Amino acid sequence: MTAQLIDGKALGLRIRAQIKVRTEALKRTGITPGLAVVLVGGDPASQIYVRNKMKACAEAGIHSTFAHYESTLGEAELLDHIRALNENPAVHGILVQLPLPPQIHVGRVIESIAPAKDVDGFHPVNVGALVAGAPGFRPCTPLGCMKMLESIGLTDLAGRKAVVMGRSNIVGKPMALLLLAANATVTVCHSKTPDAAHFTREADIVVCAVGRPGTLTADMVKPGAVVIDVGINRNAAGKLCGDVDFESVRQVAGHITPVPGGVGPMTIAMLLSNTLDAAAHL
Ligand SMILES: NC(=O)c1ccc[n+]([C@@H]2O[C@H](COP(=O)([O-])OP(=O)(O)OC[C@H]3O[C@@H](n4cnc5c(N)ncnc54)[C@H](OP(=O)(O)O)[C@@H]3O)[C@@H](O)[C@H]2O)c1
């Protein structure tokens, strides 16, 4: 069996085209959605992510602004900048690109963002809303993974076993909560899980968000399972790759996402979607 690809690039573009139509309609009511992007330091990957996000905004008709600070920026200055963005009515969404330099406390920065403008969905108010099943912004990467599942007809996951590999605040934990909200039976594996394969082999859906190439191999996957690869890594040859051993796993899985062209473009599409929702007060 060779798995069917879930093409995140194509799906992301389709969603972005729909967002553009909704953005144009909102603009006709006098509201231009606005995203404020903040980057501290010169991390090369962060610079690429920020550039791609702003380009996608422009294509969808969403106005974006960019503040780029030196890596020596003090926390108080950053908090002042965020306070001003919170008060600016033209700004509907605020994105502080992570990671931040060590002198800045990431938790305090996230908590300083107005929850109604927290389009990354990292603020404790939005995290709490996700846990409680209340309305709020959902983190873009896990939300993008859910859209990929929906795209292959997996909306209600009742009766399905899902395994999430990784328990970070930005991917693993919210991913597990979204799967749970969709009625899946969810297991979370992490670095202290002695035998993750024991769980993944039983799973109908595996989401891998670890940050290490070759984490999920073919022997760990149930035939026909859906495999979503969140990882973004460089292999020994310097080529972009995910966490999943793509060539072997695609022989066993039913559906699989590629890297690049999988979850990454969906993350951007969900950022635009959250920004539009923030502007429209949805
Ligand atoms: N495509 C996208 O848009 C997108 C967005 C965000 C992140 N990413 C990528 O996704 C990957 C994960 O990102 P992250 O921010 O969640 O990383 P992270 O904060 O480093 O978390 C990695 C998680 O993996 C767990 N882990 C480590 N080894 C493991 C193993 N052998 N089996 C199971 N779990 C294991 C860790 O467990 P402990 O908690 O026990 O340490 C941790 O919870 C990275 O490659 C990142 O670049 C992609």
Side-chain angles (χ1 to χ4, degrees):
M1 184 203 296
T2 305
Q4 268 188 280
L5 273 194
I6 308 177
D7 185 341
K9 193 171 173 197
L11 180 60
L13 283 174
R14 279 204 298 281
I15 293 172
R16 281 161 59 180
Q18 292 161 3
I19 290 170
K20 186 174 181 174
V21 172
R22 282 179 53 213
T23 299
E24 279 160 5
L26 190 63
K27 279 180 168 174
R28 285 195 289 277
T29 71
I31 301 169
T32 298
L35 176 70
V37 178
V38 182
L39 176 65
V40 185
D43 176 56
S46 292
Q47 293 193 41
I48 294 169
Y49 295 150
V50 159
R51 202 180 314 135
N52 289 342
K53 288 169 184 174
M54 293 183 68
K55 188 165 164 271
C57 278
E59 283 167 12
I62 294 174
H63 179 70
S64 66
T65 60
F66 183 43
H68 190 180
Y69 291 102
E70 296 287 328
S71 59
T72 51
L73 182 79
E75 184 179 305
E77 278 173 88
L78 181 57
L79 294 180
D80 280 347
H81 180 68
I82 292 170
R83 210 166 292 123
L85 296 174
N86 283 340
E87 287 164 11
N88 184 344
V91 172
H92 303 100
I94 300 171
L95 182 149
V96 179
Q97 185 66 44
L98 302 179
L100 290 167
Q103 76 276 13
I104 298 177
H105 189 278
V106 64
R108 276 196 290 272
V109 171
I110 289 170
E111 281 172 38
S112 76
I113 297 171
K117 297 190 178 189
D118 169 41
V119 287
D120 258 337
F122 296 159
H123 191 286
V125 166
N126 284 314
V127 175
L130 173 58
V131 173
F137 291 113
R138 309 308 195 212
C140 302
T141 299
L143 190 57
C145 295
M146 294 305 289
K147 294 283 173 203
M148 293 177 114
L149 292 176
E150 277 173 34
S151 78
I152 55 166
L154 292 179
T155 314
D156 186 344
L157 304 179
R160 315 254 180 183
K161 290 182 191 165
V163 168
V164 180
M165 297 187 76
R167 58 172 167 180
S168 71
N169 288 338
I170 64 169
V171 189
K173 283 182 200 160
M175 186 75 239
L177 287 162
L178 286 173
L179 288 163
L180 189 62
N183 298 324
T185 301
V186 184
T187 303
V188 181
C189 298
H190 46 78
S191 70
K192 306 289 188 283
T193 305
D195 182 13
H198 168 77
F199 301 98
T200 57
R201 264 187 225 118
E202 293 282 307
D204 304 298
I205 299 164
V206 181
V207 180
C208 205
V210 168
R212 205 189 59 193
T215 298
L216 191 77
T217 48
D219 58 307
M220 298 169 73
V221 176
K222 180 167 109 172
V226 179
V227 174
I228 304 224
D229 190 352
V230 180
I232 302 177
N233 313 293
R234 297 252 169 219
N235 65 15
K239 210 171 143 237
L240 213 58
C241 67
D243 290 346
V244 174
D245 183 12
F246 184 81
E247 287 309 328
S248 72
V249 172
R250 75 184 304 189
Q251 305 304 326
V252 182
H255 289 84
I256 190 167
T257 66
V259 178
V263 175
M266 293 301 296
T267 297
I268 294 182
M270 293 304 104
L271 172 69
L272 302 190
S273 174
N274 279 352
T275 303
L276 181 58
D277 286 350
H281 297 293
L282 288 178

